[in-house]
Amino acid sequence: MIRLIGYFFGIGTTLALIVAAGVAIYISHLAKDLPDYEVLAKYEPPVTTRIHASDGALMAEYARERRLYLPIQAVPDRVKAAFLSAEDKNFYNHPGIDVTGLGRAIIVNLQNFGSGRRQVGASTITQQVAKNFLLTSDQTYERKIKEMILAFRIEQAYSKDRILELYLNEIFFGFGAYGVAGAALTYFDKSVNELTVAEAAYLASLPKGPNNYHPFKHADRALERRNWVIDQMVENGYVTREEGDKAKAEPLGVTPRRNGSYLFAGEYFTEEVRRQIIARYGENALYEGGLSVRTTLDPKIQLIARKAMQNGLLKYDTLRGYRGPATHIDVSGDWGVPLGNVKGLEDVPEWTLAVVLDSSDTGLSIGLQPARQVSGDIVKERVEGTVSKEDMGFAMRHIVDGKSVKAKSPADVLQPGDVIFVQKNEGSDSAFSLRQVPQVEGGLVAMDPHTGRVLAMVGGFSYAQSEFNRATQAMRQPGSSFKPIVYSAALDNGYTPASVIMDGPITIQSGNTTWTPKNYDGTAAGPATLRSGIEKSRNLMTVRLANDMGMKLVVEYAERFGVYDHLAPYLPMALGSGETTVMRMVSAYSIMANGGKSIKPSLIDRIQDRYGKTVFKQDERGCEGCNAAEWKHQAEPDLVDNSEQVLDPMTAYQITSMMEGVVQRGTGATIAELGRHIAGKTGTTNDEKDAWFIGYTPNLVVGLYMGYDTPKGLGKGATGGGLAAPIFKDFMRVALDGTPNIDFQVPEGMKLIAINRKTGMKAAEGEAGTIIEAFKPGTGPADSYWVIGMGADGSNGAGGALSPQATQAIQDGGGGLY
């Protein structure tokens, strides 16, 4: 018996050794092909890029995987506790594999063998790190063995905290969120530091299967799993039983954070920044690089700009009548569902969609578009309201087959089923006013003239309606708002504000083409000073001035100011016939406002990489003495501005003073009501297709235009002074409120001399009709009366002939009417 036992023992030992050798050979074979776990030391996951306004407000986030990387020291203990309780309670004690948990899983799997149930795993957090970072997700024993081997190696190479840090930042939580910081924002719109025990427990329940515990599709299952995690936290001693019971009594409370843009009214600005980052660094840097972008946007000024521009567009549009409903739906049954599926304007929250339920002589009965719940379902409650005849007065003149028709009652305009936009009347819960999305569009830019920082940008009425940015992408004729560039070139080259030019008929001949420009009002005022020419926006004077000094000089200054890259040297271009953008025009006016220094428009102040290192800074000025260790009665630090001087500072003041006259008594006189030191210029293009106004104070430049995307006339009498200037005025009234009324600084050495407004000659003491004019050293009022553009015989002067190439430009229109 003893020999028999020994015999079997020997056979068993031999077989065991053979099996062990085979297992060892197999494991050794698998170990040869294992990936290099040392790459974890250089782990740089895709991280969300965040864009901020100048005050730090979050504007937008961009990511393929919404993740914010957090070092383990920044993760609160209760969040760690939730994940350890849910995934690996023995994490800080095992060597990479939890033998107890593994044994328990083997027993369960043996019991379930053949039942069709899914096999359970016993992966530790370390094993999950090995799988997520280095292996595939194949459900095979081979992958599981590789996972265990890597787990042992990872545990020997990295600290427990480093392994937990990798895990918490890599795992997927659903809703496009990766990492615990991204999940906290995505599910609860909170930072991890703000998470409650219940919220942390819910997030910890998600890695097992985000879709299985979806907060809306499987709310009961999600609540059950969350409560199980809370129980584990209690059992492991992380929270008390009382705290656990309180947490379990709380609802899930998931409030998903919306994607894209977060700062109200900043969509056009944000999109422009997005395009610039892609152009500079590429798409991968934007969507994976974890950049922190600080923009120049001032949220307060942006809101003012949006409101002023929208009000101006709406005022013009409503005066042209009502064009009809947005669409039509069936209201014979439950109108809430079809109405809920109509897309509105999410960036115009003052408005809501509604459906006409009944129309009569006195007004409309309407049903408001139901809101959507967090889950996406339309709310069941139906809210109704009314629109009185008085609150839709503009629609009594409505457009039918392209013609304006006067209606007798609201029932003539709208019928049941018509979907419309309405706005709640102030002080009422059920009374609304009819609204209409304007067809006319426009763009606006507000800029700091000293730095080029764009403080606000409006690219159209609604980004939700049209993403085309009319402030930066729309190429439009600037019309007479280009004239200050022509006058600056003249003032910089021997002319003075008191130079007299003939305002009389002129004909330009080019081959068989004749161009006869006219002033907006069709009249000619005779000889007048340059100041008068720009204040009254006289086309004939501008053409004569450009002809007298030569278009090559005008072209040089237009390109020097950055208005155009290449301007054709034809006389019609002096009246703003070339196409450019609002951004470029505002940049050009900034040069005049800042004393003649070139500026580069900037939407971005600074860009930092994921580690906080500054990789881009817009302000390139040097600062002498800024880094002194202490103050030893030395001089204050001095910012060194190396910007190119593209215009004589004295010329800049002269053109500014002349444009102050535009505001005080010229085509922009409506702005004088503000009582501020403001310079500016109106602009209206041929056939009143565009209306412009660009103006500035010493520290703020604002420019805008109004016009149809497919250019067509705005209507007879529609001018920059009548349409654009009031929008500028509305903006400045609010934007400058509470700020000092700073005057433009007169450069040292300039002479201020009283002249006769009409003759431009020095005025006698006490003479009527005079004005104080600024002259450069060595210049002054003329000693004798001389009129540019008048022949020796007193004729108006025909002007020079254009080259044949100018024919097409003349036929395209002279631009610059008013």
Side-chain angles (χ1 to χ4, degrees):
M1 180 63 71
I2 293 174
R3 281 198 303 269
L4 185 61
I5 292 173
Y7 174 74
F8 283 116
F9 177 78
I11 293 175
T13 302
T14 302
L15 290 174
L17 289 173
I18 292 172
V19 171
V23 171
I25 293 171
Y26 178 67
I27 292 176
S28 176
H29 171 71
L30 293 180
K32 287 181 181 179
D33 299 327
L34 289 178
D36 183 9
Y37 61 88
E38 293 182 358
V39 298
L40 299 179
K42 300 177 181 178
Y43 172 60
E44 288 189 349
V47 179
T48 301
T49 287
R50 310 184 87 191
I51 297 177
H52 300 267
S54 60
D55 65 352
L58 180 63
M59 295 172 62
E61 295 177 317
Y62 296 102
R64 294 192 177 101
E65 298 179 1
R66 279 184 281 164
R67 176 189 285 108
L68 299 175
Y69 194 88
L70 274 186
I72 194 64
Q73 295 83 358
V75 181
D77 288 341
R78 64 177 172 276
V79 176
K80 296 179 192 176
F83 282 88
L84 293 176
S85 297
E87 295 292 327
D88 190 357
K89 67 179 181 180
N90 296 320
F91 173 71
Y92 278 97
N93 299 317
H94 61 64
I97 297 175
D98 187 349
V99 178
T100 303
L102 182 61
R104 188 185 310 113
I106 291 174
I107 294 172
V108 172
N109 287 334
L110 288 174
Q111 292 173 344
N112 293 336
F113 185 76
S115 65
R117 296 181 184 176
R118 183 178 177 180
Q119 293 186 332
V120 299
S123 294
T124 63
I125 284 177
T126 312
Q127 287 176 261
Q128 292 184 56
V129 167
K131 180 187 72 173
N132 292 336
F133 285 86
L134 305 172
L135 299 171
T136 67
S137 297
D138 297 338
Q139 297 292 328
T140 64
Y141 287 107
E142 182 176 311
R143 195 271 297 164
K144 198 69 176 177
I145 294 171
K146 289 182 178 181
E147 181 184 293
M148 293 179 182
I149 297 171
L150 283 171
F152 278 120
R153 294 181 178 180
I154 290 171
E155 287 276 352
Q156 293 173 9
Y158 303 102
S159 68
K160 287 285 189 180
D161 280 348
R162 173 60 176 166
I163 296 169
L164 185 58
E165 177 180 284
L166 292 171
Y167 172 77
L168 290 176
N169 282 286
E170 176 65 16
I171 48 179
F172 177 59
F173 286 86
F175 283 178
Y178 291 77
V180 66
L185 286 172
T186 299
Y187 281 87
F188 299 108
D189 200 12
K190 293 181 177 181
S191 71
V192 289
N193 294 317
E194 299 173 305
L195 293 175
T196 65
V197 171
E199 291 165 346
Y202 177 64
L203 293 184
S205 70
L206 291 171
K208 281 289 185 187
N211 288 330
N212 295 334
Y213 307 111
H214 193 284
F216 307 120
K217 295 179 181 178
H218 307 295
D220 293 340
R221 196 186 301 169
L223 201 62
E224 180 182 353
R225 173 69 178 174
R226 183 206 66 177
N227 290 346
W228 177 84
V229 175
I230 293 173
D231 287 338
Q232 293 300 303
M233 294 175 72
V234 173
E235 184 178 321
N236 296 329
Y238 293 120
V239 296
T240 66
R241 173 58 63 185
E242 182 180 355
E243 290 172 329
D245 291 341
K246 182 179 178 181
K248 288 165 65 176
E250 295 179 13
L252 283 178
V254 173
T255 54
R257 192 182 197 188
R258 67 187 183 94
N259 297 330
S261 181
Y262 301 108
L263 186 68
F264 177 61
E267 293 86 357
Y268 284 109
F269 195 106
T270 301
E271 175 59 18
E272 191 68 24
V273 170
R274 187 190 72 86
R275 284 197 293 262
Q276 288 191 12
I277 293 175
I278 290 176
R280 184 183 295 270
Y281 300 111
E283 285 196 9
N284 286 341
L286 175 67
Y287 293 104
E288 298 180 2
L291 302 176
S292 176
V293 183
R294 180 62 64 96
T295 72
T296 61
L297 181 75
D298 185 320
K300 293 181 180 178
I301 294 181
Q302 179 65 34
L303 288 176
I304 298 169
R306 171 200 179 258
K307 184 175 182 180
M309 195 72 198
Q310 284 193 344
N311 287 347
L313 296 175
L314 288 171
K315 181 179 179 181
Y316 171 88
D317 188 73
T318 54
L319 291 175
R320 270 74 193 165
Y322 186 61
R323 292 182 297 277
T327 186
H328 188 89
I329 63 173
D330 183 8
V331 292
S332 59
D334 181 5
W335 49 264
V337 174
L339 182 59
N341 292 326
V342 179
K343 182 175 172 53
L345 299 178
E346 60 185 23
D347 58 344
V348 188
E350 303 93 337
W351 294 7
T352 186
L353 281 168
V355 62
V356 177
L357 301 177
D358 185 39
S359 58
S360 65
D361 291 343
T362 58
L364 309 174
S365 173
I366 60 172
L368 302 181
Q369 185 178 53
R372 286 186 178 272
Q373 297 173 327
V374 176
S375 62
D377 297 330
I378 298 174
V379 297
K380 295 180 180 180
E381 292 80 8
R382 302 290 180 256
V383 179
E384 298 184 8
T386 60
V387 177
S388 68
K389 183 178 181 180
E390 291 72 26
D391 288 331
M392 56 178 293
F394 80 94
M396 291 298 100
R397 187 158 60 92
H398 62 128
I399 309 301
V400 179
D401 297 329
K403 296 181 180 180
S404 179
V405 177
K406 189 173 182 180
K408 295 180 180 179
S409 78
D412 296 333
V413 181
L414 292 165
Q415 303 298 319
D418 287 341
V419 177
I420 58 177
F421 283 100
V422 295
Q423 182 174 351
K424 182 180 290 188
N425 293 344
E426 189 173 349
S428 174
D429 291 330
S430 59
F432 294 81
S433 294
L434 181 66
R435 293 291 180 258
Q436 173 176 255
V437 179
Q439 284 186 338
V440 70
E441 283 286 3
L444 179 151
V445 170
M447 182 182 293
D448 180 337
H450 305 289
T451 62
R453 299 176 71 249
V454 177
L455 306 176
M457 176 192 296
V458 180
F461 179 78
S462 165
Y463 184 81
Q465 179 196 23
S466 169
E467 297 180 10
F468 181 68
N469 191 335
R470 296 156 189 85
T472 60
Q473 295 176 302
M475 302 297 294
R476 313 291 294 206
Q477 290 183 344
S480 292
S481 63
F482 178 72
K483 288 176 182 175
I485 311 298
V486 179
Y487 282 74
S488 293
L491 295 170
D492 224 22
N493 288 275
Y495 299 80
T496 74
S499 296
V500 178
I501 304 177
M502 186 64 190
D503 182 15
I506 184 172
T507 299
I508 306 297
Q509 188 72 34
S510 176
N512 295 326
T513 302
T514 299
W515 179 46
T516 305
K518 291 181 173 59
N519 289 324
Y520 181 79
D521 59 8
T523 65
T529 62
L530 259 65
R531 171 180 286 276
S532 177
I534 202 167
E535 287 182 358
K536 302 301 182 183
S537 197
R538 310 300 284 182
N539 294 334
L540 298 175
M541 294 176 67
T542 304
V543 171
R544 274 198 171 81
L545 178 63
N547 191 51
D548 188 66
M549 64 181 170
M551 274 302 294
K552 286 187 178 179
L553 191 62
V554 175
V555 168
E556 177 190 336
Y557 274 76
E559 294 175 2
R560 185 188 296 185
F561 275 67
V563 178
Y564 304 104
D565 291 328
H566 303 288
L567 180 66
Y570 309 141
L571 275 176
M573 298 301 176
L575 299 181
S577 293
E579 293 180 338
T580 188
T581 66
V582 175
M583 180 71 81
R584 285 193 166 207
M585 288 299 294
V586 171
S587 300
Y589 274 61
S590 293
I591 293 173
M592 294 178 264
N594 70 23
K597 288 184 176 293
S598 68
I599 59 119
K600 184 187 298 183
S602 172
L603 278 67
I604 300 172
D605 276 338
R606 184 191 66 202
I607 300 175
Q608 293 172 292
D609 64 16
R610 67 172 70 204
Y611 304 108
K613 179 183 177 182
T614 298
V615 294
F616 170 80
K617 185 173 68 171
Q618 173 65 22
D619 193 345
E620 299 176 350
R621 292 177 295 176
C623 186
E624 298 178 359
C626 283
N627 295 323
E630 57 181 319
W631 183 61
K632 295 182 178 179
H633 302 283
Q634 69 266 39
E636 293 181 1
D638 183 29
L639 278 173
V640 181
D641 189 354
N642 297 319
S643 301
E644 180 185 0
Q645 193 77 40
V646 297
L647 187 68
D648 187 316
M650 293 188 176
T651 299
Y653 178 77
Q654 287 177 318
I655 192 66
T656 295
S657 175
M658 292 163 67
M659 284 196 285
E660 280 191 279
V662 173
V663 170
Q664 292 164 3
R665 54 191 163 269
T667 56
T670 182
I671 295 164
E673 298 172 12
L674 297 177
R676 290 274 186 168
H677 294 290
I678 296 175
K681 183 69 185 75
T682 56
T684 311
T685 61
N686 266 6
D687 301 322
E688 293 98 354
K689 291 178 180 177
D690 289 324
W692 288 72
F693 191 86
I694 310 172
Y696 55 89
T697 67
N699 296 313
L700 181 63
V701 182
V702 180
L704 66 106
Y705 89 90
M706 179 191 295
Y708 291 98
D709 285 346
T710 301
K712 64 178 182 178
L714 292 168
K716 188 64 178 176
T719 65
L723 295 179
I727 298 175
F728 176 91
K729 180 173 69 174
D730 289 346
F731 172 86
M732 284 297 199
R733 177 185 290 113
V734 183
L736 298 179
D737 186 41
T739 64
N741 188 14
I742 303 173
D743 200 355
F744 296 98
Q745 186 174 357
V746 182
E748 187 177 348
M750 290 210 80
K751 297 179 295 183
L752 300 178
I753 302 174
I755 67 165
N756 182 284
R757 287 179 182 273
K758 186 68 177 175
T759 66
M761 301 176 68
K762 187 174 182 177
E765 188 174 346
E767 181 179 337
T770 64
I771 190 171
I772 300 296
E773 202 61 86
F775 294 90
K776 300 174 185 177
T779 68
D783 295 329
S784 59
Y785 189 54
W786 175 260
V787 180
I788 300 170
M790 179 179 284
D793 59 354
S795 65
N796 287 332
L802 290 176
S803 66
Q805 290 87 349
T807 301
Q808 188 62 44
I810 293 173
Q811 292 173 342
D812 288 343
L817 286 176
Y818 194 53

